[in-house]
């Protein structure tokens, strides 16, 4: 069985939903993971924000605006009066639920319940549409099988067991529709897999059922060789291996959520990135394929802070790096890039929640300087060190960009640069021009 995930834009309107239905109704049994309609999760975040600020009027106003969108959808999506009536009732009950929060204390717990509404709405309305057009489909409620543990990691055994049970209860269905993004946590509360997490749902579901393929359907024809939001004339990359795709996703290629690669890689399930608006396009196939010694793509990760620790004590000493890393560990702050010299070390982080505390502690070991508003530019491909020339080409392409850090050698798949945010667009374009033209 295949798992097909459709993102927010792919289910963003009545006509898009109808296109998705056409794509999936080919008689093959499959699991269909849906995101919330585009814009909905952002609206739900905003609504929660008003509730946090005890501004119920603000929240109610936003809820009304969002509800209008769904009312318009119902008018356009369904043909029969029976379906329309049922859809209006579904919409009403979900929006009444959102309104009910104006009467309660508002905490993270309530916020997560609100954020789940986007995927609950899109899947319920889509399933009703499939019913109207006579498809043999059913809903698999994600809240009954998708679970994370105390460390917010997926509980894979629970997921596999409960998903299998749900499918076994209705074995004769052709289409199993389920919610991306949402789950329950260790305490049984409604939770989620973080923004953009529907991709993660698709790969966890794929791994749980040993799917033959996971397809991520979105609004572009695959992983492009550079970020299309900043570079013109980017092209889809037909094939990537799991490591390359993971690097690109982690370093900013928004088309794929970074967590989504690991479950697929561990279970050796190919992931295909496809375009809902151009279904014939080949897209990108991500698999365990062998090496091919080629630079594939460039991505950029924003919001990076660089920290440099310079110390005479590091010279010929051992244990210095351990002390430095322990500080980051004690503040649960992950390090992205590292470069060292005999007298200092530079690291980059993206979580600055505990930056002041970290800097204070680091000052015990040396002089510390911090650069904010930085970006990691990441060049990805199969670039083995024995095969000379790749690294030089990449560095040459950056000839006009001031570089704060460079890193290669952690793997053969990645050369990273840390630069100022203001130079990002120039750097991405320079790399495209010299590596892919
Ligand atoms: P969905 O809502 O379907 O999950 P996303 O908005 O999360 O879709 O991801 C698709 C978007 O990712 C594209 O519209 C594109 O602008 C952006 N993107 C960023 N980098 C890349 C890249 N390297 N290749 C393709 N798309 C990219
Ligand atoms: N709806 C969620 C979001 O907007 C999850 C997703 O689309 O992947 O982040
Ligand atoms: Mg996405």
């Amino acid at each position: 069985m295949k798992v097909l995930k459709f993102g927010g834009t792919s289910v963003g309107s009545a006509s898009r939903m109808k296109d998705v239905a056409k794509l999936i109704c080919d008689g093959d049994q499959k699991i269909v993971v849906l995101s919330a309609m585009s814009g909905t999760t952002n609206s739900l975040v905003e609504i929660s924000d008003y509730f946090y600020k005890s501004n119920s009027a603000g929240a109610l106003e936003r809820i009304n605006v969002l509800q209008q969108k769904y009312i318009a959808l119902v008018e356009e999506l369904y043909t029969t009066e029976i379906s329309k009536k049922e859809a209006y009732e579904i919409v009403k009950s979900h929006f009444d639920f959102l309104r009910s929060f104006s009467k309660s204390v508002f905490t993270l717990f309530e916020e997560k319940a609100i954020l789940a509404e986007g995927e609950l709405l899109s899947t319920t309305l889509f399933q009703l549409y499939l019913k109207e057009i006579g498809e043999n489909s059913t809903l698999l409620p994600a809240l009954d099988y998708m679970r994370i543990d105390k460390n917010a990691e997926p509980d894979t055994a629970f997921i596999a067991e409960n998903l299998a049970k749900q499918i076994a209860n209705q074995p004769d269905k052709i289409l199993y529709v389920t919610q991306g993004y949402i789950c329950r946590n260790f305490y049984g509360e409604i939770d989620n897999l973080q923004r953009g997490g529907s991709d993660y749902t698709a790969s966890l579901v794929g791994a749980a059922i040993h799917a033959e393929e996971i397809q991520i359907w979105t609004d572009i024809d695959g992983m492009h060789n550079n970020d299309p939001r900043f570079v013109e004339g980017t092209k889809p990359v037909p094939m990537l291996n799991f490591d390359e795709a993971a690097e690109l996703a982690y370093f900013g290629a928004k088309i794929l959520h970074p967590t989504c690669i690991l479950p697929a890689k561990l279970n050796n399930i190919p992931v295909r990135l496809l375009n809902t608006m151009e279904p014939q396009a080949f897209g990108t196939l991500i698999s365990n394929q062998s090496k091919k010694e080629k630079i594939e793509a460039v991505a950029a990760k924003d919001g990076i802070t660089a920290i440099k620790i310079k110390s005479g004590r590091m010279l010929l000493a051992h244990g210095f790096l351990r002390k430095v890393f322990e500080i980051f560990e004690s503040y649960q702050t992950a390090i992205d890039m590292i470069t060292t010299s005999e007298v200092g070390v530079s690291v980059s982080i993206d979580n600055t929640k505990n930056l002041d505390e970290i800097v204070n502690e680091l000052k015990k070991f040396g002089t510390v300087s911090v650069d904010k508003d930085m970006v990691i530019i990441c060049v990805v491909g199969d670039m083995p060190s024995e095969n000379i020339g790749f690294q030089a080409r990449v560095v040459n392409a950056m000839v006009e960009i001031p570089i704060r850090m460079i890193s290669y050698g952690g793997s053969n798949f990645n050369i990273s640069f840390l630069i100022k945010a203001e130079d990002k667009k120039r750097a991405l374009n320079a790399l495209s021009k010299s590596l892919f033209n």
Side-chain angles (χ1 to χ4, degrees):
M1 194 152 47
K2 288 183 183 167
V3 177
L4 284 72
K5 175 256 169 179
F6 293 87
T9 340
S10 303
V11 293
S13 66
S15 66
R16 298 244 62 89
M17 282 196 185
K18 288 180 188 176
D19 289 345
V20 170
K22 275 187 210 131
L23 272 171
I24 60 175
C25 297
D26 56 5
D28 290 346
Q29 205 179 32
K30 52 177 77 72
I31 298 187
V32 179
V33 177
L34 300 187
S35 289
M37 295 178 73
S38 57
T40 296
T41 311
N42 285 346
S43 295
L44 295 171
V45 168
E46 209 189 339
I47 289 163
S48 303
D49 204 36
Y50 280 113
F51 279 133
Y52 268 123
K53 297 191 167 86
S54 302
N55 180 355
S56 288
L60 292 174
E61 198 192 306
R62 289 278 150 230
I63 292 172
N64 293 343
V65 172
L66 189 61
Q67 186 168 8
Q68 285 312 314
K69 276 200 201 171
Y70 281 85
I71 289 174
L73 173 84
V74 170
E75 275 306 315
E76 222 187 310
L77 185 58
Y78 307 97
T79 322
T80 67
E81 285 312 312
I82 298 177
S83 302
K84 279 191 190 175
K85 186 163 175 280
E86 199 176 328
Y88 278 126
E89 273 158 22
I90 292 167
V91 170
K92 183 174 181 309
S93 75
H94 283 271
F95 281 86
D96 284 349
F97 176 68
L98 291 178
R99 287 190 189 90
S100 71
F101 291 93
S102 59
K103 294 184 198 78
S104 59
V105 238
F106 203 79
T107 66
L108 199 60
F109 173 79
E110 283 77 21
E111 180 183 9
K112 285 175 173 168
I114 287 191
L115 294 185
E117 285 298 299
E119 273 69 12
L120 291 170
L121 270 163
S122 63
T123 48
T124 314
L125 293 170
F126 186 69
Q127 160 58 19
L128 180 60
Y129 176 68
L130 293 176
K131 191 172 109 185
E132 187 186 76
I133 62 172
E135 292 301 324
N136 183 12
S137 64
T138 187
L139 268 185
L140 299 178
L143 296 179
D144 292 349
Y145 70 82
M146 190 54 75
R147 190 166 82 166
I148 50 176
D149 64 17
K150 269 187 181 162
N151 303 315
E153 292 295 330
D155 184 342
T156 47
F158 181 95
I159 298 166
E161 189 188 328
N162 288 280
L163 183 58
K165 256 189 223 162
Q166 285 201 32
I167 295 173
N169 282 343
Q170 354 184 30
D172 54 336
K173 297 289 174 188
I174 301 288
L175 300 171
Y176 297 94
V177 179
T178 191
Q179 298 85 17
Y181 177 62
I182 66 174
C183 62
R184 285 194 190 273
N185 60 27
F186 182 75
Y187 308 99
E189 300 160 351
I190 296 178
D191 212 316
N192 61 61
L193 303 173
Q194 310 290 326
R195 293 303 305 272
S198 295
D199 299 342
Y200 200 15
T201 302
S203 68
L204 290 170
V205 166
I209 65 157
H210 305 290
E212 82 196 69
E213 185 171 286
I214 298 162
Q215 298 182 351
I216 307 287
W217 287 82
T218 181
D219 57 2
I220 188 163
D221 54 346
M223 175 75 77
H224 277 218
N225 57 11
N226 208 327
D227 194 323
R229 295 167 298 179
F230 300 95
V231 178
E232 271 177 38
T234 58
K235 294 205 174 66
V237 181
M239 309 271 227
L240 287 171
N241 67 38
F242 286 119
D243 296 316
E244 292 167 333
E247 300 269 11
L248 287 167
Y250 183 73
F251 286 106
K254 192 189 169 224
I255 184 170
L256 210 54
H257 196 269
T259 50
C260 133
I261 293 297
L262 192 63
K265 179 182 167 169
L266 293 179
N267 294 277
N268 197 15
I269 303 170
V271 178
R272 218 180 261 281
L273 309 181
L274 292 157
N275 188 353
T276 324
M277 289 157 221
E278 213 190 314
Q280 293 79 15
F282 180 83
T284 299
L285 177 62
I286 303 166
S287 67
N288 257 333
Q289 96 231 318
S290 58
K291 310 199 310 172
K292 55 193 162 356
E293 303 193 353
K294 195 168 165 231
I295 297 174
E296 294 288 5
V298 178
K301 188 174 181 197
D302 301 325
I304 305 292
T305 296
I307 306 170
K308 185 189 283 176
I309 308 107
K310 272 172 70 180
S311 171
R313 276 198 269 166
M314 191 174 163
L315 196 67
L316 303 176
H318 56 83
F320 180 83
L321 287 177
R322 178 175 55 77
K323 288 179 200 150
V324 167
F325 291 153
E326 271 172 3
I327 294 173
F328 287 90
E329 198 191 328
S330 67
Y331 287 100
Q332 292 170 344
T333 301
I335 294 172
D336 280 329
M337 264 179 93
I338 313 168
T339 52
T340 63
S341 82
E342 202 42 56
V343 291
V345 51
S346 266
V347 302
S348 81
I349 59 171
D350 68 348
N351 171 4
T352 52
K353 201 171 135 218
N354 297 310
L355 180 63
D356 293 343
E357 291 85 346
I358 290 171
V359 169
N360 258 333
E361 299 256 341
L362 288 172
K363 281 181 178 164
K364 292 178 191 157
F365 301 110
T367 43
V368 182
S369 56
V370 174
D371 291 312
K372 293 183 180 162
D373 289 328
M374 308 295 283
V375 167
I376 294 177
I377 302 282
C378 171
V379 179
V380 168
D382 179 34
M383 301 175 280
S385 53
E386 317 79 65
N387 201 329
I388 53 173
F390 286 118
Q391 297 79 0
R393 273 176 66 203
V394 174
V395 174
N396 267 338
M398 295 284 280
V399 66
E400 283 175 10
I401 312 290
I403 296 168
R404 168 77 169 72
M405 289 165 71
I406 302 183
S407 164
Y408 166 78
S411 80
N412 287 345
F413 297 113
N414 168 345
I415 302 178
S416 301
F417 300 92
L418 188 76
I419 63 169
K420 286 188 185 150
E422 65 199 50
D423 295 322
K424 165 177 161 175
K425 193 169 174 187
R426 221 153 48 91
L428 290 178
N429 279 281
L431 285 163
S432 255
K433 198 168 158 213
S434 85
L435 300 178
F436 307 129
N437 274 353

